[in-house]
Amino acid sequence: MSISDFEAAISQAIDRDELVLHYQPIVSVRTGVLEGFEALVRWDRPGVGLLPPAEFIPVAEKSGLICEIGVWALNNATEQLAAWNRAVGARDLTVAVNVSGRHLNASRIRDDVATALRRSGIDPGRLVLEITETTLVGGVLAMKNLRELRHMGVALSLDDFGAGYNTVEQLTRLPVDIVKIDKDYLDVSTATTRELFRSMVDAVHALGLPVVAEGVEHPDQLELLKAVGVESAQGFAVGLPMAPAELEAHWHASMCV
Ligand code: C2E
Ligand code: CA
Ligand code: CA
Ligand code: CA
């Protein structure tokens, strides 16, 4: 299948409602209490199965399709949170949506977010937008959009911190509310890597921002998070990304922190 055929297939998938969001729990490190979810897109492709984002997001990024996926994800995730609010009265849960660079650099992002908030009726502070530094490259408009989105009351989370060129110095200039440290830094194998992780956490805390650790797979990683005072944890040891129905079935099961 050529790239353009694949693009057409993705476009059709959006129209045919073949995209689904799975939700991965984010919990408080200290208490283990559920704080919210990250929404992660999958393509339930007929005759093929569930495709992970790595298999179609890069193609969608090369075309405008990523914005369509972004709008769809914003609407879907906020509607899901509203439905959970109604069903279980879980009014303080948050939902984090990944925003692509293309979308963040387009002026429509502000309307798209406003529409999702209005349609779902959720409190703006319950919506977290996850951005990466690559989404900000060269983006004067992106910075303007970030400030306006924040002004609307949504929370901004810098994803994969440490994975690229982001320095703590640059972090001081970004209008973000949360920092997600890249999972590669959650390395407990040596005293040196543990110290490196601690120093990253300390630097983020020095800016007055809370830290989310992603890729938490082992109990000893959770121990490190507790020891260095990380606020929130996400990863296979905490909870897998799950379809809404699966998640609802797990709702009352205890999260292991
Ligand atoms: P990400 O934002 O860094 O998302 C976290 C990825 O790590 C997810 O992969 C998740 O399933 C995986 N993960 C969670 N816990 C663990 C763990 O304990 N260990 C390990 N090794 N991995 C863990 P996934 O769902 O395949 O998503 C991959 C990437 O696709 C995301 O990385 C994000 O950049 C992108 N993506 C996902 N959904 C969307 C979306 O709706 N829009 C856009 N633009 N990008 C998306
Ligand atoms: Ca993310
Ligand atoms: Ca991440
Ligand atoms: Ca990552």
Side-chain angles (χ1 to χ4, degrees):
M1 191 183 264
S2 73
I3 292 283
S4 61
D5 287 348
F6 193 58
E7 277 175 10
I10 298 171
S11 176
Q12 211 170 57
I14 302 169
D15 296 340
R16 291 182 180 170
D17 256 350
E18 290 170 9
L19 298 185
V20 292
L21 288 175
H22 282 191
Y23 294 84
Q24 186 173 31
I26 299 174
V27 303
S28 158
V29 170
R30 208 171 47 80
T31 64
V33 167
L34 180 68
E35 297 178 332
F37 304 99
E38 178 177 1
L40 296 157
V41 71
R42 280 98 182 78
W43 178 3
D44 194 359
R45 202 169 178 197
V48 180
L50 215 56
L51 294 187
E55 291 188 28
F56 59 96
I57 290 287
V59 174
E61 290 269 10
K62 292 204 174 74
S63 68
L65 281 175
I66 194 65
C67 293
E68 280 183 61
I69 294 176
V71 172
W72 173 85
L74 281 168
N75 285 320
N76 228 265
T78 52
E79 267 164 32
Q80 180 62 75
L81 191 69
W84 281 332
N85 277 343
R86 285 191 299 273
V88 292
R91 294 192 185 282
D92 49 8
L93 292 176
T94 59
V95 69
V97 176
N98 292 283
V99 178
S100 76
R102 223 180 232 270
H103 202 182
L104 198 67
N105 281 288
S107 44
R108 61 171 298 180
I109 182 89
R110 290 168 272 157
D111 290 340
D112 292 339
V113 170
T115 302
L117 290 172
R118 181 168 37 76
R119 280 173 38 169
S120 63
I122 69 161
D123 181 291
R126 301 291 158 215
L127 176 62
V128 180
L129 302 180
E130 292 200 4
I131 56 168
T132 60
E133 58 172 318
T134 46
T135 63
L136 298 171
V137 167
V140 177
L141 188 54
M143 286 299 282
K144 182 170 178 275
N145 286 339
L146 283 184
R147 287 200 196 87
E148 289 186 17
L149 287 166
R150 217 177 175 207
H151 193 70
M152 287 163 55
V154 303
L156 302 178
S157 178
L158 184 67
D159 200 0
D160 299 337
F161 179 67
Y165 308 102
N166 255 140
T167 60
V168 174
E169 196 272 320
Q170 283 165 317
L171 194 52
T172 62
R173 283 184 273 133
L174 288 177
V176 296
D177 307 283
I178 303 161
V179 175
K180 249 179 147 168
I181 295 182
D182 190 74
K183 55 177 168 279
D184 287 352
Y185 288 90
L186 187 52
D187 178 353
V188 295
S189 58
T190 70
T192 311
T193 58
R194 287 193 297 272
E195 267 319 300
L196 175 62
F197 183 77
R198 180 193 290 273
S199 65
M200 288 177 78
V201 172
D202 288 348
V204 176
H205 283 165
L207 298 175
L209 300 173
V211 172
V212 180
E214 64 174 13
V216 183
E217 296 177 347
H218 305 291
D220 46 351
Q221 290 175 315
L222 268 172
E223 286 315 306
L224 178 64
L225 301 185
K226 282 181 189 155
V228 305
V230 164
E231 282 78 5
S232 313
Q234 176 184 358
F236 299 157
V238 171
L240 299 174
M242 286 171 270
E246 203 182 341
L247 210 142
E248 283 155 22
H250 277 74
W251 201 265
H252 296 292
S254 61
M255 301 281 179
C256 60
V257 170

